[in-house]
Amino acid sequence: MPTLGPAFVAAIAYVDPGNVATNLTAGATLGYTLVWVVVVASLVAVLVQFQAAKLGMATGRSLPELCRRRFGKWGNRVLWLQAEVVVLATDLAEFVGAAIGLQLLFGMPVAVSAGATAVVSLLLLLELRRHGRTRPFELASAAALLLVGAGVGYDIVFVGHQSAGGLASGLIPNLGGDGALLLAMGIVGATVMPHAVYLHSALVQGRGISAQDARRQPALVRRILRLDCSLALGLATMINVSMIALGAGLGAATNGAWAGDLVAAHGELAARIGGAAALAFAIALLSSGVSSTGVGTLAGDVVMRGFLGRRVPVHVRRIITMAPAVLALLAGAPLTGLLVLSQVVISLGVPVALFLLVYFCRDRTLMGSLTNAPLTTAIAAAAAAVVALLACSLSLIWLL
């Protein structure tokens, strides 16, 4: 039991506000057509997070720490800079989601909700990370996953307009429909998150199994990590599929008038179903945003400590990472535009994190008996290449 939990922290990244916006839009405009994309992207995510956790347990070091030992000073500075930009972009998306949630719940102006989100997330993180404890944060992450799932599930039941046949047909690969390819790329880009890879490799350490013990018991380690990743990311997958189903149901209920906008979704739920449905949606969105901001801050700490060998107090780290998001919201930047921009920047960091992960996991001098088999390396490399290609193509399409 002490070894279970890190995957639930990483899984928060897979149900952040970027996922909410992308999945609801896919459901509203294309129905269940892209359910298969969510499932396939989630399977790749399980493989990626499993590899990251295995790397951390086999070596006793995080992915950034291994880079610091392997690459030169300037190489690590470049890697740190791109990873830091990814963390900042991640925080931007999560702050936007939390700010929208507070706005929907209490009618706050965006500027006020941005400040409130900053204070709440800072206090929450300081409390959960007091004296270096990670277990409370893992439990809180699991609770946040359940809360997001409960909110989405409640709305699905009361919105209705669901089709079991449509959901089943959505498991068959199909990119028919206007904008399907772009939305599919957006789902992939919002699913595999670089900061979750860096963080997961650090969270699995100090679990009562040393790196030497892990390499002596490879079968046990693999079972532990498979269970943790399967439970956490399986739950995240069900939530993401449920978001598409909710988008499809609400789109059908409005005869296509609603096309995925988060603020408009709250209004439609309140008008058609009632205040309870709108409240459940707002709470789910707020929970997604606030919990994700904590994950982003922890990832930033791992990135700086690993690549540069430096560490700053967690509250300073929190202030640094949330400053650009707060300033953008205070300046009145469009919320949808900020979400799109954040996903573009994040997707550019995907190839780097996945390449580093595959590179180290195939190194027998590091991994010992937990080294990837040639077939596993080939599958992981192929999956990483496809995800990286889709992510970078999405960035180019959005930028152009």
Side-chain angles (χ1 to χ4, degrees):
M1 289 301 294
T3 60
L4 300 179
F8 284 88
V9 177
I12 288 293
Y14 293 88
V15 294
D16 72 1
N19 293 86
V20 177
T22 306
N23 291 329
L24 287 178
T25 301
T29 57
L30 297 169
Y32 304 98
T33 302
L34 298 183
V35 168
W36 70 274
V37 178
V38 172
V39 174
V40 172
S42 298
L43 290 174
V44 173
V46 172
L47 175 63
V48 168
Q49 297 303 146
F50 174 80
Q51 298 290 312
K54 188 174 70 168
L55 179 69
M57 290 199 75
T59 64
R61 298 184 179 92
S62 69
L63 179 56
E65 286 174 328
L66 291 171
C67 291
R68 179 157 52 91
R69 291 172 173 266
R70 180 65 58 94
F71 306 119
K73 178 180 178 181
W74 285 105
N76 275 287
R77 287 185 176 180
V78 172
L79 289 172
W80 166 75
L81 183 60
Q82 64 83 32
E84 200 69 60
V85 171
V86 166
V87 172
L88 291 174
T90 301
D91 225 33
L92 180 61
E94 292 154 357
F95 251 82
V96 169
I100 293 175
L102 283 173
Q103 184 183 33
L104 297 179
L105 277 173
F106 304 110
M108 292 182 179
V110 171
V112 177
S113 63
T117 302
V119 172
V120 170
S121 63
L122 179 59
L123 293 177
L124 178 63
L125 185 61
L126 288 174
E127 176 61 27
L128 293 175
R129 289 284 289 165
R130 184 182 298 173
H131 307 306
R133 295 178 300 143
T134 57
R135 199 60 172 177
F137 192 75
E138 292 166 4
L139 294 174
S141 297
L145 274 175
L146 293 173
L147 187 58
V148 174
V152 174
Y154 179 90
D155 284 343
I156 286 177
V157 171
F158 286 94
V159 167
H161 293 81
Q162 297 296 318
S163 168
L167 182 61
S169 66
L171 294 172
I172 301 173
N174 175 25
L175 287 175
D178 294 337
L181 178 59
L182 184 60
L183 276 171
M185 294 165 65
I187 290 172
V188 173
T191 299
V192 182
M193 291 290 186
H195 71 294
V197 174
Y198 298 128
L199 179 59
H200 202 171
S201 65
L203 289 177
V204 294
Q205 299 166 31
R207 299 278 163 169
I209 300 179
S210 67
Q212 293 79 10
D213 289 338
R215 290 195 293 270
R216 282 196 294 264
Q217 305 175 76
L220 174 62
V221 169
R222 288 189 175 96
R223 284 200 301 270
I224 291 170
L225 298 182
R226 285 194 193 103
L227 178 61
D228 197 26
C229 292
S230 299
L231 288 175
L233 296 174
L235 178 58
T237 301
M238 288 191 291
I239 293 172
N240 280 317
V241 171
S242 297
M243 290 177 189
I244 288 188
L246 175 60
L250 192 56
T254 60
N255 294 317
W258 175 75
D261 182 79
L262 297 180
V263 177
H266 182 266
E268 292 289 349
L269 288 169
R272 295 176 179 275
I273 312 300
L279 178 63
F281 178 80
I283 290 175
L285 184 59
L286 179 61
S287 177
S288 168
V290 171
S291 58
S292 297
T293 58
V295 172
T297 299
L298 292 181
D301 181 53
V302 169
V303 163
M304 176 173 283
R305 178 160 41 95
F307 285 121
L308 302 183
R310 301 174 184 174
R311 189 171 189 173
V312 297
V314 68
H315 63 280
V316 175
R317 178 79 239 174
R318 173 71 274 177
I319 293 171
I320 292 173
T321 56
M322 71 185 180
V326 173
L327 291 175
L329 291 173
L330 291 176
L335 300 182
T336 301
L338 289 177
L339 279 174
V340 170
L341 176 62
S342 68
Q343 297 307 305
V344 170
V345 175
I346 291 169
S347 64
L348 293 175
V350 171
V352 178
L354 297 189
F355 167 77
L356 292 172
L357 188 61
V358 173
Y359 171 75
F360 283 116
C361 284
R362 62 185 291 274
D363 188 340
R364 184 166 293 278
T365 60
L366 279 176
M367 302 291 291
S369 59
L370 287 168
T371 306
N372 278 353
L375 179 59
T376 304
T377 297
I379 293 173
V386 171
V387 171
L389 178 63
L390 289 175
C392 289
S393 299
L394 178 63
S395 299
L396 291 175
I397 291 173
W398 271 338
L399 289 173
L400 295 175

